[in-house]
Amino acid sequence: GGIITQTPKFLIGQEGQKLTLKCQQNFNHDTMYWYRQDSGKGLRLIYYSITENDLQKGDLSEGYDASREKKSSFSLTVTSAQKNEMAVFLCASSIGTGNTGQLYFGEGSKLTVL
Amino acid sequence: GEKVEQHESTLSVREGDSAVINCTYTDTASSYFPWYKQEAGKSLHFVIDIRSNVDRKQSQRLIVLLDKKAKRFSLHITATQPEDSAIYFCAASMSQGGSAKLIFGEGTKLTVSS
């Protein structure tokens, strides 16, 4: 089996700071995703990528940048952290683009902005 | 855009009883409906899915029903056990120009008491 590794697990930042989250997968999956999970709001898609160097915006892309440097890695940047922001960011991967198979999720990166 | 709603934010059942979680979706083009489970402090993992060419699918104690006319699908967990306690997310996928992405519901927290 494979694994998705997210780093860091916990991230504390200051208002206005640029913060980067990293995700690595060894499934050899084509598609990778970044979701934001807020309590009571489910998961919302920020960005996804169907292949190396591809980027597709999700519903929540404003305030974020992403980069698919190679097939196995997908990073997410919070361009300007908002004061008192708290959320969990989940990275996922799949063989296809969501309609062809299940998503495999990482354990999440918890962001706290002071 | 597509919306997926979970009708129950919380659900409590006694061990051995059945639990039913209901979801509705808005886009008639949706064709893939997976369910994910998130245990306390852990990430999401896939449990079962159904595609629009069938209206019922069973995997051990899990049954998924799909009513395309009503744009409704549901997860039935039979003979519940304490380890079924978790947050369950439904999702729906539609295709746009060859790419697809999952839209998640808000989650239902299931508590199974012994």
Side-chain angles (χ1 to χ4, degrees), chain A residues 33 80 87 91 114:
Chain A
Y33 310 77
S80 179
C91 177
L114 303 176

Side-chain angles (χ1 to χ4, degrees), chain B:
Chain B
E2 166 78 292
K3 285 187 180 169
V4 176
E5 290 190 15
Q6 285 186 241
H7 296 216
E8 302 87 6
S9 57
T10 61
L11 181 62
S12 294
V13 300
R14 299 288 294 270
E15 183 178 359
D17 290 347
S18 291
V20 182
I21 303 171
N22 296 287
C23 289
T24 53
Y25 60 98
T26 57
D27 195 318
T28 51
S30 292
S31 58
Y32 175 61
F33 307 90
W35 289 84
Y36 286 81
K37 177 182 181 182
Q38 186 176 36
E39 294 166 74
K42 297 186 179 179
S43 193
L44 282 76
H45 69 266
F46 171 87
V47 290
I48 192 169
D49 61 11
I50 190 166
R51 297 181 192 274
S52 57
N53 58 341
V54 297
D55 55 20
R56 185 184 191 278
K57 183 173 179 179
Q58 181 166 1
S59 174
Q60 299 181 318
R61 295 186 297 108
L62 302 179
I63 301 169
V64 182
L65 302 178
L66 174 63
D67 181 344
K68 292 189 288 291
K69 200 176 272 188
K71 288 187 279 186
R72 180 172 59 219
F73 58 114
S74 55
L75 175 66
H76 299 245
I77 307 173
T78 61
T80 53
Q81 300 167 1
E83 51 266 39
D84 294 328
S85 296
I87 301 175
Y88 290 83
F89 292 93
C90 63
S93 175
M94 53 177 287
S95 293
Q96 289 176 328
S99 66
K101 60 186 182 187
L102 283 171
I103 305 296
F104 284 83
E106 304 90 346
T108 297
K109 184 176 181 180
L110 173 65
T111 303
V112 180
S113 55
S114 53

